[in-house]
Amino acid sequence: MAPGAVQQGAQQALPHASSVAGTAPGAPPAAATSARGGASNRIDPAQIPRATKKAAQGFASYLTRSASGVYNPPAAASDFVVQDVGNCSPRYMRPTLNQWPDRLELVSMCSMPMGLMVQPMASPAAGEEGLAVVDMGQAGPLRCVRCKAYVNPYFRFFEQGRRYTCNFCGAQGDVPTQYACALGADGRRLDAAERPELCRGSVDFVAPEAYMVRPPMPPVFFFLLDASHQSVSSGAFENACRSIKQLLGEIPQPDRARVGFATYDRAIHFFSLKAGQTQPSMLVVPDIKQVYAPCPQYLLGKLEDCREMLEELLDSLPAMHKVAPPAEAALGSAVQAAFEALKPTGGRLFVLASAMPSVGLGVLKNRAVNVAADTAHKLAAPADVTYFRMGQACAEYQVCVDLYLTPQSYMDVASLLPLARETGGGVQLYSPYNPALDSPKLFNDLRWALVRPTALEGVLRVRTSSGLTVSDHYGHFCQRSATDLDLPQMDCDKALYVSIKHEERLPKDSEAAFQCALLYTTIEGQRRIRVHTLSLPVTEVLGNLYRGADLEAQTAFLMRDAARGTGSSAFKLLRERTFERTTNILFAYRKFCASSSSSGQLILPEALKLSPLYTLGLMKSPGLVGSDAKPDERSAWLARALTAGADRVAPMVYPCMYALQTVGPGAEASGADPAAALPAPSTLSSEHMLPTGVFLVED
Ligand SMILES: [Zn+2]
């Protein structure tokens, strides 16, 4: 712990955090010295800043820019409505600092992370405008001649609108004649307000043919089901068949969507869905060492042509597999075979597995027996590189793997995880699978995965203005070059964290610009480029960094940094590093921005006043708590930690707890929104739990 950060045991007094935040650096914060006198040397829990209903309510509306500057966005988990007036919504890009440090030394002083949460497909909230779709024809959008940044509201036009200056690199270029426009007295293009790309921070460009290496892919859904003994006996197989049958009607674009289906135990069973057949014919692949996809042209059927056939198949499968299902599960071979079937088109592979792969490719062993405490963290790393390589191969062919795991005991999720991580997929774990409890959840998770807004065959790149550079990416993707990320799919819930670093000092009074460009295919089959642009004021004042700090984005970094370290570092070390990162930030605030306050006071910057609480929550999460968490539970948490959007960060580290016994009778009968009937969240502390109470924890 950094000396003096929070002095346990000393008399503590909490300042009104807002008065601290409004304090100029170096000046004394207007700290309340209300505490309870010198009689007690314990921190009064009632005075510790906590996430409350009031704090989580946020603003009703948020303008992404105003004439007087850029304000901190509302908390990501709160309800708010964004109006895009030149910067993208914080739902798409949320920086860790809303005022950007001009030089590296400032960053080193405060120890705060520099980066962005990027969630390019995030869904707008009710009341918010969707993205404008701009079609510039075969010419495509205007891009900087040097750095290739896309035209945005911060491009400057001159020479009667015939030339432009790029806000990312300062290069000047010619505006194509068909895109040129005269300038008004204020130097802005006369058409700026009518062109979304010149007045909005986010826009979807229709991609011209030059952005396509092949025709846009159709939506493809391939379901791979574990039919081994463990899956059948637990009820998971029957639940999966029933759920998929019910969901066939919800698959988007039934006239274009293609579906495929296979089961596996000690062998792999494909089903041919050739148009004109009355029922699917089973094609067995018995050789699980040299796998292949038999008759690949018939393995994917057009949904509207084969829906009835598939429904009948899904009805009959549970009975077919009920009698003496083999105990062996060729999971690795089955994934490889399904990948072979998907190679020509790409697509989404839904793997519903219960048993650890025991035969064929990628066999795994139970590593979770007799593990010494000092090596327990190694269980969070994959056993070998088989599934990592498989994931990379899938990503190359635009195949995304989503894992729905329904084991009864340890199945080494950590080793399977790279399949999802390298392909932009996700992991859902239901362990131990209990049909009564888990089948509705499995159904809902599958349904949401099928219907939620999703980008296909994506390539993502984040650009920064001169003097800054992207140093790292955290998330689920495949990275083959230093700058571009391959995303076979990117859904509305998944986010990346992008670390930024200085290359040189930024000019005074300049702005730091960031642009995320995602080239993707819509589910309707149109190739587009989604561009989000953010321009932030540059500051040379340390206090401004604390004022502009974003708690959720910074916590997301802590979470992802810890998640990435799991497997290679001991849990204790990870917890210490996480703790130290937070205390360094708070200590620097104390030292440089609130140095004249009494040494016994706990001084927290307003924007980060919940950071100690969230850090402690993070240290107790399944990813960091160590041997108290089951290895598979930990791996599933790590997948969530690496992909969660900013709005999921706070609930993940500090769940909401409601004391239901305080809800009065009749609250439900009144017909009101059940969520509105919930009481204010309680403090997550044993002191606030009663043995006779009923509590709901939402995480
Ligand atoms: Zn440029």
Side-chain angles (χ1 to χ4, degrees):
M1 177 172 164
V6 176
Q7 297 192 352
Q8 297 285 351
Q11 177 191 338
Q12 305 290 326
L14 287 166
H16 290 301
S18 55
S19 58
V20 173
T23 307
T33 48
S34 58
R36 307 166 312 138
S40 164
N41 60 2
R42 188 169 173 263
I43 299 173
D44 179 0
Q47 292 208 27
I48 295 172
R50 292 190 188 278
T52 63
K53 190 91 172 171
K54 194 161 168 266
Q57 269 173 354
F59 313 155
S61 71
Y62 173 68
L63 284 180
T64 57
R65 240 192 127 88
S66 76
S68 51
V70 177
Y71 294 98
N72 289 9
S78 64
D79 294 330
F80 58 97
V81 175
V82 179
Q83 202 183 333
D84 176 347
V85 285
N87 267 344
C88 69
S89 160
R91 299 187 203 286
Y92 301 122
M93 285 208 280
R94 181 175 276 266
T96 54
L97 300 163
N98 289 284
Q99 302 200 40
W100 207 258
D102 69 333
R103 59 195 189 279
L104 181 63
E105 297 78 67
L106 216 53
V107 185
S108 310
M109 272 169 87
C110 72
S111 303
M112 283 195 271
M114 282 212 313
L116 305 161
M117 282 295 278
V118 180
Q119 196 171 349
M121 298 304 292
S123 296
E128 287 177 3
E129 272 181 26
L131 261 59
V133 179
V134 177
D135 190 349
M136 314 279 256
Q138 283 309 314
L142 174 64
R143 299 181 68 176
C144 169
V145 66
R146 187 198 292 160
C147 73
K148 299 287 174 199
Y150 290 83
V151 64
N152 64 76
Y154 306 95
F155 261 43
R156 290 281 157 256
F157 294 89
F158 61 102
E159 283 187 14
Q160 288 88 45
R162 290 195 297 268
R163 289 180 56 79
Y164 67 83
T165 307
C166 167
N167 59 316
F168 282 86
C169 68
Q172 298 184 340
D174 293 329
V175 180
T177 322
Q178 71 275 16
Y179 191 65
C181 175
L183 307 180
D186 58 355
R188 293 189 76 213
R189 281 170 60 124
L190 292 170
D191 64 352
E194 284 91 59
R195 286 193 175 273
E197 74 276 16
L198 298 179
C199 63
R200 298 271 179 266
S202 296
V203 68
D204 244 357
F205 290 108
V206 175
E209 270 170 28
Y211 289 74
M212 297 178 207
V213 287
R214 62 173 187 175
M217 64 185 277
V220 178
F221 304 90
F222 197 100
F223 300 94
L224 181 62
L225 269 61
D226 182 347
S228 70
H229 173 76
Q230 196 172 122
S231 176
V232 172
S233 62
S234 73
F237 181 65
E238 190 181 349
N239 288 166
C241 290
R242 200 174 56 224
S243 298
I244 294 167
K245 184 195 161 195
Q246 281 176 274
L247 290 169
L248 287 177
E250 298 210 38
I251 289 180
Q253 300 280 306
D255 54 332
R256 295 178 58 247
R258 287 164 193 282
V259 287
F261 197 85
T263 62
Y264 67 90
D265 40 45
R266 69 165 78 102
I268 306 155
H269 310 101
F270 281 99
F271 293 91
S272 156
L273 302 168
K274 191 177 172 185
Q277 283 180 177
T278 49
Q279 60 181 45
S281 43
M282 192 195 280
L283 307 162
V284 182
V285 181
D287 185 353
I288 50 175
K289 289 284 184 192
Q290 301 272 327
V291 288
Y292 59 94
C295 307
Q297 67 273 34
Y298 301 131
L299 296 181
L300 295 173
K302 203 188 273 184
L303 177 60
E304 65 178 10
D305 295 341
C306 66
R307 186 173 157 189
E308 278 179 32
M309 220 183 337
L310 263 180
E311 283 176 350
E312 274 177 39
L313 173 71
L314 288 162
D315 274 339
S316 62
L317 275 176
M320 274 164 60
H321 286 275
K322 210 161 197 161
V323 184
E328 300 93 336
L331 170 57
S333 304
V335 170
Q336 181 68 32
F339 162 56
E340 298 291 336
L342 285 168
K343 251 185 185 176
T345 53
R348 299 183 58 191
L349 175 56
F350 296 83
V351 179
L352 292 93
S354 295
M356 196 187 275
S358 54
V359 287
L361 305 175
V363 168
L364 296 172
K365 298 258 174 348
N366 187 351
R367 297 187 285 156
V369 282
N370 302 327
V371 181
D374 58 339
T375 56
H377 62 278
K378 291 184 179 163
L379 289 181
D384 61 31
V385 295
T386 309
Y387 291 97
F388 170 77
R389 289 195 179 135
M390 228 182 249
Q392 285 213 318
C394 285
E396 192 178 344
Y397 288 86
Q398 306 296 346
V399 174
C400 164
V401 185
D402 278 311
L403 299 171
Y404 296 82
L405 305 174
T406 52
Q408 289 303 310
S409 56
Y410 177 71
M411 80 176 287
D412 199 355
V413 177
S415 292
L416 300 170
L417 201 57
L419 275 177
R421 202 178 55 220
E422 294 298 311
T423 61
V427 178
Q428 302 288 345
L429 177 68
Y430 316 82
S431 177
Y433 187 76
N434 175 339
L437 292 177
D438 293 322
S439 70
K441 189 168 183 325
L442 175 67
F443 176 83
N444 272 328
D445 291 341
L446 274 172
R447 182 185 169 277
W448 182 235
L450 290 168
V451 303
R452 68 183 159 191
T454 299
L456 305 175
E457 47 183 348
V459 182
L460 182 140
R461 181 169 190 171
V462 175
R463 290 184 170 80
T464 61
S465 48
S466 303
L468 298 170
T469 187
V470 171
S471 58
D472 210 344
H473 303 85
Y474 298 73
H476 279 191
F477 50 76
C478 183
Q479 185 164 14
R480 287 199 195 82
S481 76
T483 52
D484 292 359
L485 308 181
D486 290 347
L487 295 157
Q489 75 110 31
M490 182 77 189
D491 60 61
C492 60
D493 298 325
K494 292 210 172 60
L496 307 161
Y497 178 87
V498 180
S499 280
I500 313 278
K501 66 175 184 187
H502 280 90
E503 283 190 321
E504 57 191 59
R505 188 169 182 159
L506 309 180
K508 204 177 174 203
D509 298 326
S510 64
E511 295 209 342
F514 308 94
Q515 189 171 69
C516 158
L518 173 67
L519 174 65
Y520 73 105
T521 299
T522 64
I523 208 89
E524 291 81 19
Q526 192 175 49
R527 200 80 174 134
R528 289 193 187 159
I529 310 150
R530 179 165 289 207
V531 177
H532 300 298
T533 308
L534 185 64
S535 189
L536 298 172
V538 165
T539 184
E540 54 188 6
V541 179
L542 189 65
N544 287 343
L545 297 188
Y546 283 98
R547 261 176 227 129
D550 188 284
L551 174 66
E552 283 151 312
Q554 295 203 5
T555 309
F557 167 73
L558 274 185
M559 193 155 93
R560 287 175 188 230
D561 186 55
R564 189 188 276 185
T566 321
S568 54
S569 302
F571 297 116
K572 186 165 175 282
L573 280 177
L574 282 176
R575 287 196 298 271
E576 282 172 3
R577 194 169 77 185
T578 305
F579 188 73
E580 204 172 296
R581 280 185 188 278
T582 301
T583 48
N584 285 348
I585 294 169
L586 300 177
F587 175 56
Y589 180 77
R590 170 91 209 193
K591 186 175 173 189
F592 299 115
C593 301
S595 55
S596 57
S597 53
S598 152
S599 63
Q601 286 180 324
L602 174 63
I603 308 285
L604 299 170
E606 168 69 13
L608 298 177
K609 66 182 178 187
L610 294 178
S611 122
L613 189 68
Y614 284 5
T615 304
L616 290 172
L618 177 60
M619 288 162 63
K620 291 180 181 176
S621 62
L624 294 184
V625 75
S627 52
D628 285 351
K630 290 181 184 161
D632 281 351
E633 194 186 320
R634 181 186 307 131
S635 299
W637 184 91
L638 294 175
R640 281 207 309 282
L642 272 178
T643 55
D647 58 328
R648 296 304 307 154
V649 169
M652 275 183 79
V653 296
Y654 195 82
C656 267
M657 180 173 78
Y658 301 95
L660 295 185
Q661 74 274 15
T662 62
V663 179
E668 188 193 340
S670 68
D673 175 8
L678 282 176
S682 307
T683 301
L684 273 186
S685 145
S686 58
E687 293 162 24
H688 289 78
M689 295 189 79
L690 305 169
T692 53
V694 180
F695 295 89
L696 173 71
V697 176
E698 180 190 8
D699 65 356

